[in-house]
Amino acid sequence: MEKTLKPVNLLLPFTPVRVRWKHALVAAQAAAALALWALSTSRTLPAPPEVGRAWLDLVAHQGLLVELWVSVKVSLLALALSTAAAVALACLATAPLFMPLARLSAALRFLGFAGLTYVFMLVSSDAITLRVAILAFGMFVFMVTGLLSDLAATSRDPVDHCRTLGMRHWRITAEVVLLGKADVILDLMRQNAAVGWTLLTLVEGLTRSAGGIGAMLLNENRYFLLARVFAIQATILAVGLVQDALLSMLKEAACPWSTLGKETAPS
Amino acid sequence: MPLEHPRKGDRPVMTTIRDYTLGERLLTLDNVCVHYDRPILDGVTGHIDNLRRAGLQQGQVVCLLGPSGIGKSQLFRCIAGLQRPTSGSVRLNGSQRDVQAGEVGVVAQNYPLFNHRTVWGNLMLAALRHGRSMDAAREACLALLDKFRLADHARAHPMMLSGGQRQRVAIAQQLLCSSHFLLMDEPFSGLDPLVKTAVCETLIDVSTSHELNTIIVVTHDIECAIRIADTLWLLGRQPDASGRPAGGASIREVHDLAGMGLAWDPDIESRPEFLELAAELKARFATL
């Protein structure tokens, strides 16, 4: 029997849509944005072919991929350090003594980097260390905020359940926070990886001599070479999306329970 | 090793029997009071003694019955060792110290399990808590998976289980690590009649399968309580001068169903005494 397609009003909120339709919508809107850009008559905005040529030139003559690798290393190291520090602090915050310290750390997200960079310079031995320290700090404060918020929303039930099994103190923390919140931690890592890429330009701007794609972006922007700027931005966007997809796959592999019981649309 | 309970097919053989003796003290509630801005529990006093039937090794089921909002969950938390009473004490096995969390098996209303662990992981975690070797823990888990018909779900995560399966895993997990008895909070809440019957059968099966499997069920479901219990505790408040219930709750009545010949009878629902007692308790609820 032939299946009949039911009409779906995509303008209505919470309308259930098949996964393939969602993918089609993303592809259509991306194509429309690209078409708009290509058909733009703006003189200042570089056209897609110009950006493509600029990208090839950057790769061939300016070492774009080498600079990208410098930045990726800094970004990954900062992500690992900030995650480890934030998770450790969130675990400590389950004890009342450390909660004020955790709250103070979360409050530091309102600080700008101006002035703060000087403190980091004093304690850093080289440019790469300085970059990692500032970037890790930027990610850390947001990750602590996210973890504290999730801990605050955790009910008493899992803690009681641990106690009924004879667990005590830090063993409960390990079960409820480290293992029980592994999916939340990986989700926050995804968000912080994105925050890291947005901060990267600022951080690499402090020590341009050490290279990196952020420093390259600032250099091209300084001379208003928009085609090259767009090419570098597109590269950062692509790397960010790939990193995000990899972290998402890591979450699905490490925490298969996190998607169970959630409504999924048919394909 | 416990003696095998006599069985006919898969069901324990149960008869209307009045012959039993009471042994050592299992649980003592000594003037337990819980007060917040108002009294919740006020002088809850009672005890459970080990019940023995000739030729059988079985636990028992004590139901703590009371209307919603009377303070059953507070008493549940106190007996589980999850909460200290404002005054009074809860003691196990004639001990002089208060019960500690982890000494009593606890199955809360929502059947808590660790969603990040598989069924097997949940059971092994509990089995290893009491210093068992890895091999002994594995053996104990396999035996319970088999007993509770969960062997096919060992690698499933709790989110993949039905309510009944989840409840059985939660009971199995607590049986693996509790050295005294099992405390259950509202196991019949929100269930349809068929599932209620299945839960009653599970509880009777657990309680009659081992000497140590004494179960305390906190519930407001009168029929299910009479169906599974050998002792009923009725929790309620004292009437004030105008006759309306006031103050904190305490145990107002104890019904010895074993002594009345109403325990361990699979066909109890068809007996007039069952209906009479259910009607009597329903009428009492209105005054509590």
Side-chain angles (χ1 to χ4, degrees):
Chain A
M1 220 174 109
E2 203 172 306
K3 282 185 181 174
T4 52
L5 281 176
K6 283 185 185 173
V8 174
N9 189 342
L10 297 173
L11 289 171
L12 291 179
F14 302 113
T15 302
V17 180
R18 285 177 179 275
V19 173
R20 74 176 79 156
W21 278 98
K22 281 184 187 171
H23 290 162
L25 277 171
V26 170
Q29 289 181 22
L34 209 61
L36 270 177
W37 179 22
L39 296 172
S40 165
T41 53
S42 167
R43 285 184 183 179
T44 50
L45 199 67
E50 274 180 80
V51 174
R53 279 194 296 275
W55 190 84
L56 289 173
D57 182 52
L58 283 169
V59 171
H61 303 112
Q62 306 285 326
L64 175 67
L65 297 183
V66 175
E67 301 300 334
L68 176 64
W69 179 237
V70 170
S71 298
V72 166
K73 281 193 291 185
V74 168
S75 173
L76 289 179
L77 190 56
L79 183 63
L81 284 175
S82 62
T83 302
V87 170
L89 189 57
C91 286
L92 284 174
T94 55
L97 178 68
F98 298 103
M99 185 46 101
L101 176 67
R103 287 200 192 286
L104 177 68
S105 301
L108 293 182
R109 70 190 184 278
F110 294 107
L111 287 182
F113 279 139
L116 212 60
T117 50
Y118 181 68
V119 179
F120 283 106
M121 275 180 198
L122 288 178
V123 295
S124 302
S125 54
D126 56 57
I128 297 295
T129 311
L130 175 64
R131 286 178 177 185
V132 171
I134 297 176
L135 207 53
F137 173 79
M139 294 182 190
F140 165 78
V141 291
F142 284 103
M143 189 141 186
V144 168
T145 305
L147 280 173
L148 288 186
S149 155
D150 198 80
L151 278 181
T154 303
S155 73
R156 190 174 56 175
D157 293 351
V159 176
D160 279 351
H161 185 212
C162 289
R163 293 177 66 202
T164 66
L165 294 175
M167 295 183 199
R168 297 279 181 271
H169 313 304
W170 297 110
R171 179 67 186 84
I172 297 179
T173 299
E175 194 66 39
V176 174
V177 182
L178 270 185
L179 299 174
K181 303 272 178 208
D183 55 336
V184 175
I185 292 168
L186 283 167
D187 263 340
L188 287 171
M189 276 181 81
R190 284 176 66 186
Q191 287 178 30
N192 277 292
V195 168
W197 282 106
T198 59
L199 290 177
L200 196 74
T201 312
L202 172 76
V203 170
E204 290 187 348
L206 297 170
T207 51
R208 292 192 197 192
S209 58
I213 198 169
M216 186 183 241
L217 179 64
L218 287 172
N219 289 337
E220 303 300 343
N221 195 46
R222 188 177 176 188
Y223 300 108
F224 213 62
L225 300 168
L226 272 186
R228 290 183 168 202
V229 168
F230 272 51
I232 295 168
Q233 290 281 30
T235 307
I236 291 174
L237 179 67
V239 171
L241 289 174
V242 169
Q243 188 184 43
D244 193 59
L246 289 175
L247 283 171
S248 173
M249 284 161 65
L250 175 67
K251 183 190 156 193
E252 277 175 32
C255 314
W257 74 88
S258 62
T259 50
L260 296 173
K262 288 178 185 164
E263 197 179 329
T264 49
S267 57
Chain B
M1 278 287 287
L3 288 175
E4 195 63 35
H5 191 83
R7 284 167 181 274
K8 186 170 39 178
D10 272 353
R11 249 178 109 84
V13 174
M14 283 178 270
T15 51
T16 308
I17 189 166
R18 290 162 200 261
D19 296 332
Y20 65 92
T21 54
L22 293 176
E24 72 280 9
R25 185 134 302 177
L26 298 177
L27 172 74
T28 307
L29 301 176
D30 187 6
N31 206 23
V32 173
C33 297
V34 173
H35 288 219
Y36 294 118
D37 50 339
R38 64 185 177 85
I40 308 294
L41 298 175
D42 197 8
V44 177
T45 299
H47 60 261
I48 298 175
D49 293 329
N50 192 16
L51 184 148
R52 292 202 180 102
R53 291 165 70 191
L56 297 175
Q57 278 222 329
Q58 69 164 80
Q60 60 196 94
V61 181
V62 176
C63 279
L64 181 62
L65 202 54
S68 299
I70 202 77
K72 295 190 298 295
S73 294
Q74 293 293 323
L75 187 54
F76 173 90
R77 290 182 60 78
C78 291
I79 299 174
L82 294 171
Q83 178 181 330
R84 286 260 166 273
T86 312
S87 63
S89 64
V90 178
R91 301 189 300 274
L92 300 175
N93 290 2
S95 155
Q96 290 306 304
R97 66 172 181 82
D98 286 335
V99 63
Q100 304 289 312
E103 290 182 323
V104 178
V106 178
V107 181
Q109 196 171 349
N110 53 353
Y111 319 134
L113 289 169
F114 295 116
N115 287 331
H116 56 275
R117 291 181 182 271
T118 59
V119 168
W120 180 256
N122 270 282
L123 296 185
M124 281 296 281
L125 180 70
L128 289 167
R129 292 307 302 169
H130 276 279
R132 281 192 186 95
S133 69
M134 188 60 88
D135 284 345
R138 199 172 289 136
E139 221 167 275
C141 291
L142 284 172
L144 277 174
L145 280 175
D146 193 39
K147 177 178 171 54
F148 285 103
R149 305 181 307 280
L150 290 163
D152 293 344
H153 302 282
R155 298 181 72 175
H157 283 275
M159 297 287 280
M160 298 157 80
L161 303 177
S162 70
Q165 290 164 343
R166 198 181 162 96
Q167 187 190 45
R168 295 205 298 275
V169 178
I171 293 172
Q173 189 186 44
Q174 295 293 332
L175 286 176
L176 280 165
C177 70
S178 66
S179 44
H180 296 281
F181 48 80
L182 196 62
L183 189 60
M184 298 189 74
D185 190 18
E186 301 285 4
F188 314 110
S189 184
L191 303 181
D192 68 48
L194 281 178
V195 181
K196 270 186 193 178
T197 302
V199 172
C200 285
E201 282 173 0
T202 301
L203 297 188
I204 290 168
D205 192 34
V206 170
S207 74
T208 53
S209 63
H210 197 290
E211 175 70 14
L212 291 175
N213 289 357
T214 287
I215 305 177
I216 301 177
V217 177
V218 177
T219 181
H220 58 251
D221 192 313
I222 295 170
E223 283 84 6
C224 286
I226 302 173
R227 213 190 289 182
I228 61 170
D230 40 63
T231 307
L232 280 182
W233 288 355
L234 198 60
L235 197 66
R237 292 171 292 173
Q238 291 277 4
D240 61 10
S242 63
R244 295 171 65 180
S250 58
I251 295 172
R252 303 293 310 282
E253 290 173 11
V254 177
H255 294 262
D256 178 10
L257 300 191
M260 293 158 73
L262 289 175
W264 314 303
D265 180 359
D267 298 319
I268 188 170
E269 285 164 282
S270 59
R271 293 171 59 186
E273 299 99 306
F274 172 89
L275 300 171
E276 281 165 21
L277 182 59
E280 183 192 325
L281 291 173
K282 268 181 197 164
R284 289 286 290 124
F285 261 39
T287 67
L288 298 173

